[in-house]
Amino acid sequence: MQLRKWVQRSALALAIGVLAACSSTTHPTELATLGKNVSDAVMEQQLELAGPVALETVVSANWAVPLSGLVNLKDPQAAGLKDHDEPIKVFAHVLRHPTYGNFLVDTGVSARLAQDPSSVGLNWLVQKAMKLDQMKMAQSTADIVAGLPGPLAGVFFTHLHIDHISGMPDIDAKVPLFVGTHESTGKQAIQVFTQGATNALLEGKSPLQEWQFAMRPQPLGQDSFEAVLDIFGDGSVYAIYTPGHTDGSTAYLVRSTQGPVLLVGDTSHTQWGWDHGVEPGDFTRDPVRNRTNLRKLKALVARHPNIQVRLGHQ
């Protein structure tokens, strides 16, 4: 009887979701005061020079999920690919700025979430959909933060999908959190099922600060981005507006001590997707816009081959 009631409630929620899509979270949001808008040319002019930021990409967890979520298998280039569980990783990127302190790009995974996902607000349906039983911890968010040379000064999110905020139980409530424009408010039917988990992971944390991207007109066929922010105003870290996978998807270009590094987020999950210019599959909000921004990121790297590319999950 209980199972039947649960199925009925789930079916009703699905019907409601199809008719009235839901935002990714109802967590408080405010406008960020950090960052200034710049042109692509300003961003690119120093990319041949090493920068001041020490950057480390940490594997927080190893995972396996359906390829159909990672790559759009409907694309003609994917004709030879079969859906299967593809090994991937969950990353946290550690930025150590000599002046402004220590930051994360995305959060890795909290050991609490991996060991007892219900305790941090992930219900049975979300756990099954995410295949959390296939996630194996490597280095928890708590351990990553504990290894920093000082306090954590902020988190820059590529987007708010659960696997990118899975470290939030280990992030102090006072740490500033930054997201792309429309990331928290963009509506999608699938978020009827994920909003509760997202809210739970963000509960008690600082408000989400939305980057104030100044959108530019986009002439057809050009490779300029819709908006770019110089986060610290010193040309060391840039936020690039790359919507498509989600409404507020954001890539980050870091002028590191080892040269420029592009953190593409889930604009491209996999090496195959990047090499073939094919966007992610399931859960992507706007595949056409995603592909457009993936093409622009690839064009940026083609203009500056010294850029190291770090993908969403491979």
Side-chain angles (χ1 to χ4, degrees):
M1 180 65 70
Q2 291 298 321
L3 177 60
R4 185 172 69 183
K5 288 182 178 179
W6 180 88
V7 170
Q8 291 171 342
R9 286 195 296 267
S10 296
L12 178 60
L14 178 60
I16 293 171
V18 170
L19 294 172
C22 183
S23 63
S24 65
T25 179
T26 59
H27 192 73
T29 303
E30 60 191 31
L31 294 177
T33 57
L34 188 63
K36 67 175 184 179
N37 284 276
V38 297
S39 67
D40 294 38
V42 167
M43 176 179 69
E44 294 185 46
Q45 66 185 4
Q46 298 187 68
L47 291 186
E48 304 307 314
L49 304 173
V53 178
L55 173 64
E56 179 186 8
T57 295
V58 180
V59 176
S60 185
N62 293 290
W63 199 13
V65 299
L67 185 65
S68 56
L70 303 171
V71 172
N72 181 7
L73 296 181
K74 297 177 183 179
D75 185 272
Q77 294 186 81
L81 300 180
K82 302 297 182 183
D83 200 8
H84 63 273
D85 282 351
E86 176 77 5
I88 60 171
K89 302 179 185 301
V90 180
F91 298 118
H93 307 283
V94 180
L95 280 63
R96 298 192 295 275
H97 192 287
T99 303
Y100 297 101
N102 307 299
F103 295 81
L104 295 181
V105 175
D106 295 333
T107 63
V109 180
S110 167
R112 285 177 56 198
L113 183 143
Q115 295 163 5
D116 186 7
S118 298
S119 71
V120 293
L122 275 63
N123 63 35
W124 176 86
L125 185 62
V126 170
Q127 294 176 41
K128 288 295 183 182
M130 290 185 65
K131 292 201 168 189
L132 287 182
D133 59 323
Q134 298 202 45
M135 183 180 284
K136 309 300 179 186
M137 290 298 304
Q139 187 171 358
S140 72
T141 305
D143 288 341
I144 294 169
V145 172
L148 296 174
L152 182 62
V155 177
F156 304 149
F157 290 111
T158 60
H159 62 299
L160 293 178
H161 280 172
I162 291 172
D163 52 315
H164 291 257
I165 65 172
S166 292
M168 286 306 299
D170 297 343
I171 302 296
D172 188 270
K174 296 180 181 179
V175 171
L177 309 173
F178 298 87
V179 298
T181 300
H182 307 308
E183 179 61 20
S184 65
T185 55
K187 293 186 176 181
Q188 193 173 1
I190 189 66
Q191 291 167 175
V192 168
F193 300 100
T194 60
Q195 187 193 79
T198 304
N199 282 345
L201 289 168
L202 294 172
E203 185 176 3
K205 308 299 183 181
S206 297
L208 296 169
Q209 299 186 46
E210 284 197 356
W211 297 122
Q212 292 198 60
F213 287 120
M215 306 304 174
R216 302 190 293 252
Q218 293 297 292
L220 186 64
Q222 289 197 7
D223 289 327
S224 60
F225 295 103
E226 293 180 52
V228 175
L229 274 179
D230 181 345
I231 292 178
F232 300 115
D234 63 355
S236 62
V237 183
Y238 295 94
I240 306 173
Y241 187 48
T242 54
H245 185 60
T246 64
D247 288 283
S249 287
T250 303
Y252 294 91
L253 183 60
V254 182
R255 287 184 54 238
S256 84
T257 54
Q258 302 300 312
V261 181
L262 179 63
L263 309 175
V264 306
D266 281 0
T267 305
S268 181
H269 292 300
T270 66
Q271 189 65 53
W272 189 94
W274 175 266
D275 291 343
H276 293 82
V278 177
E279 71 282 355
D282 300 339
F283 314 116
T284 294
R285 175 73 173 86
D286 185 338
V288 173
R289 202 174 187 189
N290 191 142
R291 177 172 292 213
T292 296
N293 282 307
L294 175 56
R295 175 182 59 79
K296 292 179 180 182
L297 291 174
K298 287 172 63 69
L300 172 65
V301 174
R303 292 193 296 272
H304 303 275
N306 62 324
I307 293 177
Q308 303 172 49
V309 177
R310 299 189 184 174
L311 303 167
H313 291 286
Q314 282 189 346

